Amino acid sequence: MFSLDSILVLFLLFNSARCLSIGENSAARSLTTQTTSPSTSAVSVALGGVTYVNKGIVGFGLIPSNFTDSLGDTLGGIGSGIAFKQATWKSLSNGSYTGTLVVHPDRGYNVISTVDYRSRQHEIDFVFTPYNGTDDLDFESAQTTLQLTYVDTILQFDRGGGNTSGLDALAVRAAENGFPTVAVADPEMPIANETYQHLTIDAEGLIAASDGSYWVSDEYGPYVYHFSANGSLIQTIQPPEAFLPLDSNGDLNFTSVVNPTTGRAGNTGFEGLTLDAENDILYAMLQAATIQDGGDDDDTSLYTRMVAYDIANATVTPPTMVGEWVVPLPVSTSKSKTRKCSEIHFVSENVFFALSRDGNGNGAGTSSSDTTSKYKQADLFSIANATNIAGSKFDDPSNPVAPGGVLDDSVTPATYVSFVNYIDDDQLARFGLHNGGDEDSTLVNEKWESLALAPVNDPANPDDYFLFTASDNDFLTEDGISIGVPYNAGVNVDNQFLVFQVTLPSVSPGTIQQAIGI
């Protein structure tokens, strides 16, 4: 294991910002369990008559587990959502790339209990130098491929300038002034009828819009929040009633501790958020099935739902729901357990990435079984032939689309295929990483939850893109600070980043460029 000092030396390089002081469902089931090998050669998959290629890992970087943000809190959980800040991606003449990543943590260090962690996003500058060689790099050298430099933190506020919070949603605030009923909590007064309570956000998805604003998806609601560039809440999107956590009396109960009677299960809200920038269509996807669709059991949580909203004139006209589809989740053949989806990313018309994973890896535990991941992949799915159920009877929770995990005969799900494998041993070894074994800084992290695409800009490979992905380390460090209070989580888990190179022939010219503002 390398010392923190050696890691920080690498982390400080190129510091240009502030100086750091530190198909059919049966087909989908079989495809999602295959492995992408051999790792030393490109791996191809077909979807909708198009061949997509994974060329493997080309970059790795990290931020140390005990690094603190400008507010004095431990910088962690930042893999929950990432996006390229508009107009920052640049190709350099020496073959490197620079830019700024906007990263969003979830609800803070909550291993013991939820805390009053204020919603925020961070800006991180990077210098990326792709490594395409076949020789294995040592761990220290691998980090030179993606140099990361912390820049700043922006807090996000409730309407009227009130604070946001990561505390469990123990109360409900009624709809008013164009905003829907929302989940709230107050650290001093967790009672539903108080005049003010903090808006609770467990952020899991992030979109950097062309006007400088940001869209953030949330697990508590599940909702999508629209924030201005300075962090002020602009508007809130509430999905159909079938998504909302309702108790047996039909009342909203947003807590993540106890599952509702219908709607999203606890901690499986809108994990996925992405944007079709050309058409201004925002997509959000649940991490797993709703309760009425089998989401109360991993064995029956086989289908999740994705919704789409037209946000072309969002600041003038409220977003309009224009689509809803059923998406199958990959299933382990050995244990028949569903791999929940932690992120989605728009690729081209009807085609998306889906990041699904198990719960093993660095941060999951110290036993061999906990540290050995079985499934971590950025797969592809298409809704080209899927049934659009928006506005149908299935938006009423009394009409499940997949009761007990059995899909309604009238509905065709998205077509799902296996694609980018995060835990290929040979690929990991090229960057000094490993899957399974000792829980150290070179062990691949447990929770990968974000995706971002940028063009390679190679005339010889015009369809090639870099797929950036980051992990949520759950703020795990032995030297942490949570809302001003020191803590020791008993383990150090760095914030890891990986970059893959992929060929995406279906992408229309300019689509990704427009999405990131270049």
Side-chain angles (χ1 to χ4, degrees):
M1 182 185 298
F2 291 91
S3 69
L4 180 59
D5 288 340
S6 64
I7 294 174
L8 284 173
V9 168
L10 289 166
F11 191 65
L12 289 168
L13 292 176
F14 303 102
N15 185 357
S16 60
R18 82 173 176 91
C19 180
L20 299 180
S21 62
I22 59 156
E24 293 297 324
N25 185 42
S26 59
R29 292 285 173 254
S30 62
L31 283 166
T32 55
T33 58
Q34 68 185 24
T35 58
T36 53
S37 60
S39 64
T40 54
S41 61
V43 178
S44 301
V45 300
L47 179 64
V50 177
T51 299
Y52 299 87
V53 183
N54 169 26
K55 295 184 175 179
I57 302 173
V58 292
F60 169 76
L62 63 78
I63 297 176
S65 63
N66 68 343
F67 186 79
T68 55
D69 64 24
S70 58
L71 301 176
D73 290 324
T74 294
L75 188 147
I78 60 177
S80 291
I82 64 173
F84 290 104
K85 187 175 182 179
Q86 287 283 310
T88 62
W89 176 262
K90 294 180 181 178
S91 305
L92 304 181
S93 58
N94 65 357
S96 295
Y97 302 80
T98 62
T100 300
L101 281 170
V102 182
V103 300
H104 209 303
D106 48 24
R107 54 182 174 170
Y109 176 66
N110 57 17
V111 172
I112 299 174
S113 64
T114 58
V115 295
D116 194 24
Y117 181 81
R118 298 166 70 185
S119 182
R120 67 196 71 186
Q121 61 191 40
H122 312 289
E123 292 188 2
I124 297 175
D125 286 346
F126 64 85
V127 176
F128 168 47
T129 306
Y131 175 66
N132 294 289
T134 57
D135 293 337
D136 292 351
L137 298 174
D138 60 66
F139 183 59
E140 196 166 344
S141 298
Q143 295 167 60
T144 64
T145 60
L146 182 63
Q147 304 284 345
L148 300 165
T149 303
Y150 172 80
V151 180
D152 199 9
T153 296
I154 299 172
L155 284 174
Q156 291 165 333
F157 298 91
D158 192 2
R159 64 180 193 261
N163 287 340
T164 55
S165 176
L167 284 167
D168 191 39
L170 300 178
V172 175
R173 185 165 65 204
E176 60 180 355
N177 301 324
F179 289 85
T181 304
V182 293
V184 292
D186 190 293
E188 302 297 330
M189 302 172 294
I191 303 172
N193 61 359
E194 293 294 342
T195 57
Y196 170 73
Q197 294 182 323
H198 297 305
L199 174 67
T200 56
I201 296 179
D202 184 1
E204 296 294 349
L206 177 67
I207 297 297
S210 59
D211 63 359
S213 65
Y214 293 90
W215 297 86
V216 176
S217 66
D218 158 69
E219 284 204 304
Y220 278 128
Y223 289 126
V224 178
Y225 295 105
H226 190 195
F227 291 97
S228 67
N230 65 4
S232 298
L233 182 63
I234 300 171
Q235 59 196 158
T236 302
I237 296 177
Q238 183 184 60
E241 192 174 42
F243 290 68
L244 301 178
L246 302 176
D247 62 22
S248 58
N249 296 319
D251 297 324
L252 285 167
N253 187 346
F254 292 107
T255 180
S256 62
V257 177
V258 179
N259 277 338
T261 303
T262 60
R264 64 99 182 109
N267 295 313
T268 63
F270 279 149
E271 280 272 346
L273 186 70
T274 191
L275 176 68
D276 171 359
E278 282 191 318
N279 297 298
D280 288 318
I281 304 297
L282 187 73
Y283 296 87
M285 193 162 90
L286 294 176
Q287 186 177 18
T290 63
I291 294 295
Q292 66 270 24
D293 293 335
D296 54 346
D297 191 325
D298 281 347
D299 293 335
T300 58
S301 182
L302 304 179
Y303 299 95
T304 188
R305 301 195 197 194
M306 182 176 74
V307 286
Y309 289 86
D310 185 340
I311 59 168
N313 298 298
T315 57
V316 178
T317 305
T320 304
M321 184 170 142
V322 295
E324 179 183 349
W325 302 270
V326 173
V327 180
L329 295 167
V331 175
S332 165
T333 53
S334 60
K335 295 184 178 181
S336 298
K337 296 292 185 181
T338 305
R339 309 303 192 187
K340 298 174 182 177
C341 183
S342 294
E343 180 63 295
I344 58 175
H345 197 291
F346 181 81
V347 174
S348 57
E349 183 179 7
N350 296 323
V351 179
F352 302 81
F353 274 108
L355 199 175
S356 291
R357 59 172 178 80
D358 60 13
N360 294 346
N362 197 10
T366 56
S367 71
S368 177
S369 60
D370 287 335
T371 62
T372 303
S373 299
K374 301 296 192 303
Y375 196 97
K376 293 187 190 329
Q377 297 197 175
D379 299 322
L380 292 169
F381 70 89
S382 171
I383 58 172
N385 299 315
T387 306
N388 186 346
I389 62 172
S392 72
K393 65 178 183 179
F394 301 116
D395 283 341
D396 182 333
S398 65
N399 295 307
V401 74
V406 179
L407 188 62
D408 190 285
D409 290 340
S410 68
V411 176
T412 300
T415 303
Y416 192 108
V417 297
S418 176
F419 190 32
V420 176
N421 182 12
Y422 283 44
I423 53 174
D424 183 286
D425 289 334
D426 293 336
Q427 286 289 313
L428 292 175
R430 291 177 55 243
F431 288 83
L433 301 168
H434 65 96
N435 176 33
D438 293 340
E439 190 173 36
D440 57 24
S441 59
T442 64
L443 176 66
V444 68
N445 278 3
E446 171 198 1
K447 295 183 177 180
W448 294 86
E449 299 188 349
S450 55
L451 300 169
L453 281 172
V456 174
N457 294 329
D458 179 5
N461 297 281
D463 295 328
D464 276 18
Y465 295 87
F466 293 120
L467 180 65
F468 281 65
T469 183
S471 60
D472 170 5
N473 72 338
D474 278 340
F475 297 81
L476 296 177
T477 177
E478 296 175 335
D479 182 25
I481 301 175
S482 174
I483 54 176
V485 179
Y487 69 88
N488 181 351
V491 64
N492 292 314
V493 179
D494 297 323
N495 298 273
Q496 294 179 350
F497 292 71
L498 287 171
V499 185
F500 295 85
Q501 186 165 337
V502 292
T503 304
L504 307 173
S506 66
V507 175
S508 302
T511 297
I512 302 300
Q513 287 86 340
Q514 182 173 340
I516 62 178
I518 59 172

